Structures are given as structure tokens and as C-alpha cells.
Amino acid sequence: MSNTLEIRWHGRGGQGAKTAALLLAEVAFKTGKTAQGFPEYGPERMGAPITAYDRISDEEIRVHSNIYDPEYVVVVDETLLEIVDVTKGLKEDGAILVNTSRSKEEIIPLLKGYKGKVYTVDAEKIAMETLGKNFPNTPMLAAIVKVTGVIEDEVFLNEMEGSFKHKFAKKPDVIEGNMAALKMALREVK
């Protein structure tokens, strides 16, 4: 499975990391890829650390386990950098994406010596500007698509718009805000 992309998500219950992982798998599947998106369950509750995963491939995926050595890690809540070893098993030829208003240089010392690529995006700011609430999962979803290049930007946006129209058929303002959040995150990831 050398062409399989593996992503591990770290967030807190209620921030939408699980939902973002599931949406990424759904969109990848709709574009013709084989995909898995799943959470790791434990005694989670609102605000407790959670983990979710994505596997995306052009071939059949025969592995059905957690992801221990991901190419990419997404950190939806930067406070987790101090309490969870988010870089554990992270391949150095991959990357980590952190939701933060701080610079990459400020984040690197918190990554336990990780030497791979580090990307940042201020998903909270994007969510507040586009959705009026701190829902960081939508901007983080777009940012990881940009970082990995797993789906072309326009294809991703078209698929997400279709998904939002189905999910929020009676709430067009929610569709508009989520689409704006996706577009802004694609532009602002550093």
C-alpha cells in the first residue's frame, strides 16, 4: 500500500475532528479513491482529547486498524501539543498541520524534535469570520487537502458544496459560510 495516504487527526470532543475525518474520506471516495475515515473511541466527552484517522488510496485498502505511522497529522486544538504526543510515529517526509494563530517558528519547539514540514492555519479566526462561531473543523479540512494535495482544490470545493447542499438543504446561510471557510483556509494555510 505504498500509494496509501494516512492521516491522524487530534482534537477535542465537540470540535469536529471526527466529522472532518469522515468528510475527507467521503469526498475522496466520491472522486474515485478508496477511503477510510474513522474515530478512535474511548471515554470521550465534550472537551476531552480525541483521535480520528483517514486512509486514502487509488487501490483497495486491506488494512483495518488505527494508524500508527501517519504521513500527516492534523492538530485541531493547539493546546493538545502540550498534553498529547501528536508527532508520535509521524513520518519525517510527511508534515504536521496545526490550528494556531502563532507562527510556525513558535510551534516547532512544542513538537518534541520533529524535523518534518510544519504548516499552520488560524482555523479559529477563519471560522469566526465566515461562520460566526468557532467550528475549526471546516477550515482544517480544507487546509489538510491543500497540504497533502490528495484532491485538487476545485474538485474538493465542488464535492464539498454538494455535500453541504445535501446536509444543510434548509439552511443556505450555513452552506455559504462553510464554503467561505473552505476557500479562505485553502488560501491561508502556511
Side-chain angles (χ1 to χ4, degrees):
M1 284 197 337
S2 59
N3 76 337
T4 300
L5 178 70
E6 295 184 320
I7 303 169
R8 186 174 65 218
W9 295 74
H10 293 279
R12 291 188 180 277
Q15 292 179 321
K18 176 185 114 176
T19 300
L22 296 175
L23 276 171
L24 179 56
E26 179 183 319
V27 170
F29 181 76
K30 286 180 179 178
T31 64
K33 298 180 183 297
T34 302
Q36 297 175 347
F38 55 97
E40 179 179 340
Y41 282 108
E44 284 82 28
R45 60 189 177 283
M46 189 69 75
I50 65 106
T51 309
Y53 305 93
D54 281 297
R55 259 191 204 98
I56 301 169
S57 181
D58 292 322
E59 301 171 2
E60 181 181 358
I61 300 172
R62 295 179 176 262
V63 176
H64 300 281
S65 67
N66 289 348
I67 296 171
Y68 302 102
D69 299 308
E71 284 86 15
Y72 296 92
V73 165
V74 180
V75 181
V76 180
D77 187 322
E78 74 175 302
T79 64
L80 294 173
L81 296 174
E82 296 180 26
I83 61 171
V84 175
D85 185 1
V86 297
T87 59
K88 183 177 182 179
L90 178 57
K91 295 178 180 173
E92 293 201 358
D93 60 348
I96 187 167
L97 169 65
V98 181
N99 170 17
T100 183
S101 61
R102 298 192 276 177
S103 71
K104 175 174 104 169
E105 293 72 26
E106 292 174 274
I107 295 300
I108 290 173
L110 303 173
L111 300 180
K112 300 187 179 341
Y114 178 67
K115 305 232 183 301
K117 293 179 183 168
V118 177
Y119 294 88
T120 62
V121 65
D122 192 344
E124 180 178 349
K125 176 188 76 92
I126 292 169
M128 292 304 292
E129 285 181 23
T130 58
L131 301 167
K133 295 181 181 175
N134 186 15
F135 292 131
N137 62 331
T138 301
M140 293 304 288
L141 173 59
I144 196 60
V145 166
K146 185 67 162 188
V147 167
T148 63
V150 67
I151 303 167
E152 293 177 25
D153 292 359
E154 285 306 312
V155 172
F156 169 70
L157 290 171
N158 288 337
E159 290 295 337
M160 288 304 300
E161 186 170 27
S163 181
F164 289 149
K165 282 181 178 176
H166 176 73
K167 186 175 182 176
F168 303 115
K170 296 183 181 186
K171 300 178 182 179
D173 54 318
V174 174
I175 298 167
E176 187 178 308
N178 276 286
M179 290 306 297
L182 293 173
K183 291 172 184 174
M184 187 179 287
L186 287 171
R187 287 191 310 268
E188 293 191 11
V189 66
K190 298 178 220 141

